[in-house]
PDB file of all heavy atoms in Angstrom:
ATOM      1  N   PRO A 272      -1.846  -2.367   7.827  1.00  0.00           N
ATOM      2  CA  PRO A 272      -1.713  -1.888   6.429  1.00  0.00           C
ATOM      3  C   PRO A 272      -2.448  -0.572   6.145  1.00  0.00           C
ATOM      4  O   PRO A 272      -1.909   0.268   5.390  1.00  0.00           O
ATOM      5  CB  PRO A 272      -2.231  -3.038   5.602  1.00  0.00           C
ATOM      6  CG  PRO A 272      -2.046  -4.283   6.461  1.00  0.00           C
ATOM      7  CD  PRO A 272      -2.271  -3.797   7.865  1.00  0.00           C
ATOM      8  N   PRO A 273      -3.672  -0.343   6.670  1.00  0.00           N
ATOM      9  CA  PRO A 273      -4.326   0.945   6.379  1.00  0.00           C
ATOM     10  C   PRO A 273      -3.475   2.178   6.805  1.00  0.00           C
ATOM     11  O   PRO A 273      -3.622   3.230   6.212  1.00  0.00           O
ATOM     12  CB  PRO A 273      -5.642   0.890   7.158  1.00  0.00           C
ATOM     13  CG  PRO A 273      -5.904  -0.588   7.247  1.00  0.00           C
ATOM     14  CD  PRO A 273      -4.562  -1.220   7.396  1.00  0.00           C
ATOM     15  N   VAL A 274      -2.631   1.962   7.837  1.00  0.00           N
ATOM     16  CA  VAL A 274      -1.875   3.148   8.319  1.00  0.00           C
ATOM     17  C   VAL A 274      -0.840   3.532   7.285  1.00  0.00           C
ATOM     18  O   VAL A 274      -0.427   4.698   7.204  1.00  0.00           O
ATOM     19  CB  VAL A 274      -1.149   2.755   9.660  1.00  0.00           C
ATOM     20  CG1 VAL A 274      -0.190   3.845  10.093  1.00  0.00           C
ATOM     21  CG2 VAL A 274      -2.211   2.503  10.774  1.00  0.00           C
ATOM     22  N   LEU A 275      -0.457   2.591   6.415  1.00  0.00           N
ATOM     23  CA  LEU A 275       0.582   2.852   5.414  1.00  0.00           C
ATOM     24  C   LEU A 275       0.010   3.400   4.121  1.00  0.00           C
ATOM     25  O   LEU A 275       0.811   3.709   3.180  1.00  0.00           O
ATOM     26  CB  LEU A 275       1.368   1.582   5.091  1.00  0.00           C
ATOM     27  CG  LEU A 275       2.222   1.021   6.302  1.00  0.00           C
ATOM     28  CD1 LEU A 275       2.885  -0.245   5.900  1.00  0.00           C
ATOM     29  CD2 LEU A 275       3.256   2.045   6.746  1.00  0.00           C
ATOM     30  N   VAL A 276      -1.314   3.542   4.072  1.00  0.00           N
ATOM     31  CA  VAL A 276      -1.882   4.077   2.802  1.00  0.00           C
ATOM     32  C   VAL A 276      -1.343   5.441   2.476  1.00  0.00           C
ATOM     33  O   VAL A 276      -0.965   5.712   1.318  1.00  0.00           O
ATOM     34  CB  VAL A 276      -3.425   4.086   2.954  1.00  0.00           C
ATOM     35  CG1 VAL A 276      -4.030   4.850   1.751  1.00  0.00           C
ATOM     36  CG2 VAL A 276      -3.994   2.639   2.929  1.00  0.00           C
ATOM     37  N   PRO A 277      -1.269   6.406   3.468  1.00  0.00           N
ATOM     38  CA  PRO A 277      -0.657   7.718   3.074  1.00  0.00           C
ATOM     39  C   PRO A 277       0.762   7.595   2.619  1.00  0.00           C
ATOM     40  O   PRO A 277       1.186   8.314   1.708  1.00  0.00           O
ATOM     41  CB  PRO A 277      -0.762   8.454   4.384  1.00  0.00           C
ATOM     42  CG  PRO A 277      -1.858   7.826   5.171  1.00  0.00           C
ATOM     43  CD  PRO A 277      -1.770   6.392   4.824  1.00  0.00           C
ATOM     44  N   VAL A 278       1.546   6.662   3.209  1.00  0.00           N
ATOM     45  CA  VAL A 278       2.941   6.498   2.785  1.00  0.00           C
ATOM     46  C   VAL A 278       2.965   5.983   1.318  1.00  0.00           C
ATOM     47  O   VAL A 278       3.774   6.512   0.537  1.00  0.00           O
ATOM     48  CB  VAL A 278       3.655   5.516   3.717  1.00  0.00           C
ATOM     49  CG1 VAL A 278       5.070   5.272   3.277  1.00  0.00           C
ATOM     50  CG2 VAL A 278       3.599   5.988   5.118  1.00  0.00           C
ATOM     51  N   PHE A 279       2.165   5.006   0.999  1.00  0.00           N
ATOM     52  CA  PHE A 279       2.178   4.446  -0.340  1.00  0.00           C
ATOM     53  C   PHE A 279       1.633   5.483  -1.336  1.00  0.00           C
ATOM     54  O   PHE A 279       2.039   5.490  -2.512  1.00  0.00           O
ATOM     55  CB  PHE A 279       1.353   3.152  -0.377  1.00  0.00           C
ATOM     56  CG  PHE A 279       1.977   2.004   0.332  1.00  0.00           C
ATOM     57  CD1 PHE A 279       1.197   1.149   1.087  1.00  0.00           C
ATOM     58  CD2 PHE A 279       3.344   1.838   0.288  1.00  0.00           C
ATOM     59  CE1 PHE A 279       1.791   0.107   1.785  1.00  0.00           C
ATOM     60  CE2 PHE A 279       3.921   0.766   0.967  1.00  0.00           C
ATOM     61  CZ  PHE A 279       3.184  -0.102   1.745  1.00  0.00           C
ATOM     62  N   LEU A 280       0.723   6.369  -0.849  1.00  0.00           N
ATOM     63  CA  LEU A 280       0.248   7.442  -1.744  1.00  0.00           C
ATOM     64  C   LEU A 280       1.330   8.362  -2.116  1.00  0.00           C
ATOM     65  O   LEU A 280       1.444   8.826  -3.275  1.00  0.00           O
ATOM     66  CB  LEU A 280      -0.903   8.197  -1.018  1.00  0.00           C
ATOM     67  CG  LEU A 280      -2.290   7.677  -1.225  1.00  0.00           C
ATOM     68  CD1 LEU A 280      -3.262   8.500  -0.364  1.00  0.00           C
ATOM     69  CD2 LEU A 280      -2.728   7.777  -2.672  1.00  0.00           C
ATOM     70  N   VAL A 281       2.202   8.711  -1.159  1.00  0.00           N
ATOM     71  CA  VAL A 281       3.347   9.601  -1.427  1.00  0.00           C
ATOM     72  C   VAL A 281       4.336   8.933  -2.362  1.00  0.00           C
ATOM     73  O   VAL A 281       4.870   9.556  -3.277  1.00  0.00           O
ATOM     74  CB  VAL A 281       4.018  10.025  -0.091  1.00  0.00           C
ATOM     75  CG1 VAL A 281       5.292  10.807  -0.372  1.00  0.00           C
ATOM     76  CG2 VAL A 281       3.044  10.881   0.702  1.00  0.00           C
ATOM     77  N   LEU A 282       4.661   7.645  -2.090  1.00  0.00           N
ATOM     78  CA  LEU A 282       5.666   6.924  -2.815  1.00  0.00           C
ATOM     79  C   LEU A 282       5.204   6.544  -4.256  1.00  0.00           C
ATOM     80  O   LEU A 282       5.980   6.604  -5.217  1.00  0.00           O
ATOM     81  CB  LEU A 282       6.094   5.691  -2.101  1.00  0.00           C
ATOM     82  CG  LEU A 282       6.793   5.930  -0.741  1.00  0.00           C
ATOM     83  CD1 LEU A 282       7.117   4.612  -0.076  1.00  0.00           C
ATOM     84  CD2 LEU A 282       8.046   6.740  -0.887  1.00  0.00           C
ATOM     85  N   LEU A 283       3.951   6.106  -4.379  1.00  0.00           N
ATOM     86  CA  LEU A 283       3.456   5.522  -5.640  1.00  0.00           C
ATOM     87  C   LEU A 283       2.405   6.368  -6.326  1.00  0.00           C
ATOM     88  O   LEU A 283       2.104   6.155  -7.492  1.00  0.00           O
ATOM     89  CB  LEU A 283       2.928   4.112  -5.377  1.00  0.00           C
ATOM     90  CG  LEU A 283       3.887   3.149  -4.730  1.00  0.00           C
ATOM     91  CD1 LEU A 283       3.140   1.839  -4.430  1.00  0.00           C
ATOM     92  CD2 LEU A 283       5.048   2.851  -5.656  1.00  0.00           C
ATOM     93  N   GLY A 284       1.841   7.344  -5.601  1.00  0.00           N
ATOM     94  CA  GLY A 284       0.810   8.143  -6.218  1.00  0.00           C
ATOM     95  C   GLY A 284      -0.572   7.448  -6.231  1.00  0.00           C
ATOM     96  O   GLY A 284      -0.700   6.350  -5.759  1.00  0.00           O
ATOM     97  N   ILE A 285      -1.528   8.199  -6.730  1.00  0.00           N
ATOM     98  CA  ILE A 285      -2.910   7.621  -6.868  1.00  0.00           C
ATOM     99  C   ILE A 285      -2.980   6.688  -8.008  1.00  0.00           C
ATOM    100  O   ILE A 285      -2.532   6.975  -9.113  1.00  0.00           O
ATOM    101  CB  ILE A 285      -3.914   8.757  -7.028  1.00  0.00           C
ATOM    102  CG1 ILE A 285      -3.893   9.681  -5.783  1.00  0.00           C
ATOM    103  CG2 ILE A 285      -5.327   8.219  -7.230  1.00  0.00           C
ATOM    104  CD1 ILE A 285      -4.788  10.917  -5.925  1.00  0.00           C
ATOM    105  N   GLY A 286      -3.547   5.511  -7.763  1.00  0.00           N
ATOM    106  CA  GLY A 286      -3.756   4.545  -8.831  1.00  0.00           C
ATOM    107  C   GLY A 286      -3.616   3.132  -8.390  1.00  0.00           C
ATOM    108  O   GLY A 286      -3.435   2.848  -7.174  1.00  0.00           O
ATOM    109  N   ALA A 287      -3.687   2.195  -9.286  1.00  0.00           N
ATOM    110  CA  ALA A 287      -3.607   0.764  -9.046  1.00  0.00           C
ATOM    111  C   ALA A 287      -2.345   0.293  -8.333  1.00  0.00           C
ATOM    112  O   ALA A 287      -2.423  -0.538  -7.411  1.00  0.00           O
ATOM    113  CB  ALA A 287      -3.855  -0.020 -10.289  1.00  0.00           C
ATOM    114  N   PRO A 288      -1.145   0.829  -8.658  1.00  0.00           N
ATOM    115  CA  PRO A 288       0.058   0.364  -8.003  1.00  0.00           C
ATOM    116  C   PRO A 288       0.026   0.599  -6.508  1.00  0.00           C
ATOM    117  O   PRO A 288       0.409  -0.334  -5.711  1.00  0.00           O
ATOM    118  CB  PRO A 288       1.175   1.242  -8.609  1.00  0.00           C
ATOM    119  CG  PRO A 288       0.668   1.540  -9.973  1.00  0.00           C
ATOM    120  CD  PRO A 288      -0.798   1.742  -9.810  1.00  0.00           C
ATOM    121  N   MET A 289      -0.523   1.741  -6.027  1.00  0.00           N
ATOM    122  CA  MET A 289      -0.676   1.932  -4.629  1.00  0.00           C
ATOM    123  C   MET A 289      -1.638   0.956  -3.961  1.00  0.00           C
ATOM    124  O   MET A 289      -1.346   0.370  -2.931  1.00  0.00           O
ATOM    125  CB  MET A 289      -1.125   3.425  -4.354  1.00  0.00           C
ATOM    126  CG  MET A 289      -1.295   3.797  -2.862  1.00  0.00           C
ATOM    127  SD  MET A 289      -2.939   3.306  -2.164  1.00  0.00           S
ATOM    128  CE  MET A 289      -4.007   4.416  -3.083  1.00  0.00           C
ATOM    129  N   GLN A 290      -2.770   0.783  -4.613  1.00  0.00           N
ATOM    130  CA  GLN A 290      -3.755  -0.141  -4.023  1.00  0.00           C
ATOM    131  C   GLN A 290      -3.285  -1.590  -3.974  1.00  0.00           C
ATOM    132  O   GLN A 290      -3.496  -2.307  -3.025  1.00  0.00           O
ATOM    133  CB  GLN A 290      -5.064  -0.029  -4.833  1.00  0.00           C
ATOM    134  CG  GLN A 290      -5.694   1.377  -4.771  1.00  0.00           C
ATOM    135  CD  GLN A 290      -6.518   1.738  -5.966  1.00  0.00           C
ATOM    136  OE1 GLN A 290      -6.510   1.081  -6.999  1.00  0.00           O
ATOM    137  NE2 GLN A 290      -7.232   2.884  -5.874  1.00  0.00           N
ATOM    138  N   ILE A 291      -2.612  -2.030  -5.044  1.00  0.00           N
ATOM    139  CA  ILE A 291      -2.084  -3.396  -5.077  1.00  0.00           C
ATOM    140  C   ILE A 291      -1.002  -3.595  -4.027  1.00  0.00           C
ATOM    141  O   ILE A 291      -0.931  -4.594  -3.357  1.00  0.00           O
ATOM    142  CB  ILE A 291      -1.575  -3.710  -6.501  1.00  0.00           C
ATOM    143  CG1 ILE A 291      -2.715  -3.772  -7.476  1.00  0.00           C
ATOM    144  CG2 ILE A 291      -0.816  -5.036  -6.491  1.00  0.00           C
ATOM    145  CD1 ILE A 291      -2.292  -3.921  -8.929  1.00  0.00           C
ATOM    146  N   THR A 292      -0.187  -2.512  -3.825  1.00  0.00           N
ATOM    147  CA  THR A 292       0.914  -2.612  -2.811  1.00  0.00           C
ATOM    148  C   THR A 292       0.290  -2.742  -1.414  1.00  0.00           C
ATOM    149  O   THR A 292       0.846  -3.559  -0.587  1.00  0.00           O
ATOM    150  CB  THR A 292       1.797  -1.417  -2.882  1.00  0.00           C
ATOM    151  OG1 THR A 292       2.341  -1.267  -4.205  1.00  0.00           O
ATOM    152  CG2 THR A 292       2.941  -1.463  -1.898  1.00  0.00           C
ATOM    153  N   VAL A 293      -0.764  -2.041  -1.109  1.00  0.00           N
ATOM    154  CA  VAL A 293      -1.408  -2.132   0.164  1.00  0.00           C
ATOM    155  C   VAL A 293      -1.911  -3.557   0.373  1.00  0.00           C
ATOM    156  O   VAL A 293      -1.729  -4.161   1.471  1.00  0.00           O
ATOM    157  CB  VAL A 293      -2.573  -1.141   0.272  1.00  0.00           C
ATOM    158  CG1 VAL A 293      -3.424  -1.425   1.523  1.00  0.00           C
ATOM    159  CG2 VAL A 293      -2.066   0.292   0.283  1.00  0.00           C
ATOM    160  N   ILE A 294      -2.526  -4.131  -0.643  1.00  0.00           N
ATOM    161  CA  ILE A 294      -3.026  -5.531  -0.550  1.00  0.00           C
ATOM    162  C   ILE A 294      -1.870  -6.491  -0.306  1.00  0.00           C
ATOM    163  O   ILE A 294      -1.936  -7.376   0.595  1.00  0.00           O
ATOM    164  CB  ILE A 294      -3.821  -5.874  -1.784  1.00  0.00           C
ATOM    165  CG1 ILE A 294      -5.042  -4.997  -1.917  1.00  0.00           C
ATOM    166  CG2 ILE A 294      -4.242  -7.364  -1.751  1.00  0.00           C
ATOM    167  CD1 ILE A 294      -5.864  -5.185  -3.160  1.00  0.00           C
ATOM    168  N   VAL A 295      -0.826  -6.345  -1.111  1.00  0.00           N
ATOM    169  CA  VAL A 295       0.299  -7.310  -0.947  1.00  0.00           C
ATOM    170  C   VAL A 295       0.948  -7.239   0.412  1.00  0.00           C
ATOM    171  O   VAL A 295       1.193  -8.234   1.057  1.00  0.00           O
ATOM    172  CB  VAL A 295       1.360  -6.947  -2.038  1.00  0.00           C
ATOM    173  CG1 VAL A 295       2.635  -7.803  -1.784  1.00  0.00           C
ATOM    174  CG2 VAL A 295       0.847  -7.272  -3.441  1.00  0.00           C
ATOM    175  N   PHE A 296       1.149  -6.011   0.930  1.00  0.00           N
ATOM    176  CA  PHE A 296       1.811  -5.861   2.226  1.00  0.00           C
ATOM    177  C   PHE A 296       0.934  -6.468   3.333  1.00  0.00           C
ATOM    178  O   PHE A 296       1.461  -7.062   4.284  1.00  0.00           O
ATOM    179  CB  PHE A 296       2.038  -4.359   2.536  1.00  0.00           C
ATOM    180  CG  PHE A 296       2.709  -4.127   3.832  1.00  0.00           C
ATOM    181  CD1 PHE A 296       4.080  -4.178   3.960  1.00  0.00           C
ATOM    182  CD2 PHE A 296       1.962  -3.878   4.958  1.00  0.00           C
ATOM    183  CE1 PHE A 296       4.658  -3.956   5.158  1.00  0.00           C
ATOM    184  CE2 PHE A 296       2.557  -3.651   6.232  1.00  0.00           C
ATOM    185  CZ  PHE A 296       3.938  -3.671   6.294  1.00  0.00           C
ATOM    186  N   GLY A 297      -0.398  -6.390   3.226  1.00  0.00           N
ATOM    187  CA  GLY A 297      -1.238  -6.848   4.280  1.00  0.00           C
ATOM    188  C   GLY A 297      -1.460  -8.361   4.241  1.00  0.00           C
ATOM    189  O   GLY A 297      -1.668  -8.973   5.319  1.00  0.00           O
ATOM    190  N   VAL A 298      -1.474  -8.962   3.055  1.00  0.00           N
ATOM    191  CA  VAL A 298      -1.919 -10.360   2.968  1.00  0.00           C
ATOM    192  C   VAL A 298      -0.735 -11.379   2.835  1.00  0.00           C
ATOM    193  O   VAL A 298      -0.948 -12.559   2.899  1.00  0.00           O
ATOM    194  CB  VAL A 298      -2.894 -10.581   1.762  1.00  0.00           C
ATOM    195  CG1 VAL A 298      -4.001  -9.610   1.807  1.00  0.00           C
ATOM    196  CG2 VAL A 298      -2.127 -10.453   0.380  1.00  0.00           C
ATOM    197  N   VAL A 299       0.504 -10.863   2.655  1.00  0.00           N
ATOM    198  CA  VAL A 299       1.632 -11.793   2.464  1.00  0.00           C
ATOM    199  C   VAL A 299       1.995 -12.563   3.740  1.00  0.00           C
ATOM    200  O   VAL A 299       2.485 -13.666   3.645  1.00  0.00           O
ATOM    201  CB  VAL A 299       2.849 -11.023   1.920  1.00  0.00           C
ATOM    202  CG1 VAL A 299       3.449 -10.101   2.998  1.00  0.00           C
ATOM    203  CG2 VAL A 299       3.852 -11.927   1.365  1.00  0.00           C
ATOM    204  N   TRP A 300       1.679 -11.957   4.904  1.00  0.00           N
ATOM    205  CA  TRP A 300       2.233 -12.596   6.141  1.00  0.00           C
ATOM    206  C   TRP A 300       1.495 -13.886   6.479  1.00  0.00           C
ATOM    207  O   TRP A 300       2.219 -14.873   6.857  1.00  0.00           O
ATOM    208  CB  TRP A 300       2.033 -11.567   7.299  1.00  0.00           C
ATOM    209  CG  TRP A 300       2.662 -10.252   6.985  1.00  0.00           C
ATOM    210  CD1 TRP A 300       2.024  -9.031   6.779  1.00  0.00           C
ATOM    211  CD2 TRP A 300       4.083  -9.992   6.803  1.00  0.00           C
ATOM    212  NE1 TRP A 300       2.960  -8.065   6.492  1.00  0.00           N
ATOM    213  CE2 TRP A 300       4.207  -8.623   6.477  1.00  0.00           C
ATOM    214  CE3 TRP A 300       5.214 -10.826   6.831  1.00  0.00           C
ATOM    215  CZ2 TRP A 300       5.417  -8.031   6.244  1.00  0.00           C
ATOM    216  CZ3 TRP A 300       6.424 -10.208   6.588  1.00  0.00           C
ATOM    217  CH2 TRP A 300       6.531  -8.866   6.295  1.00  0.00           C
TER     218      TRP A 300
END
């Protein structure tokens, strides 16, 4: 999931949505 942080930054911008998306993607499995 840390590798996708730049991708989520581009897609969602800086803020809580990007951070929450990183958490969801990493912990759902």
Side-chain angles (χ1 to χ4, degrees):
V274 175
L275 295 177
V276 169
V278 178
F279 292 140
L280 270 174
V281 173
L282 296 177
L283 302 174
I285 297 175
M289 180 275 292
Q290 295 152 352
I291 293 173
T292 303
V293 172
I294 296 173
V295 172
F296 181 85
V298 307
V299 71
W300 307 113

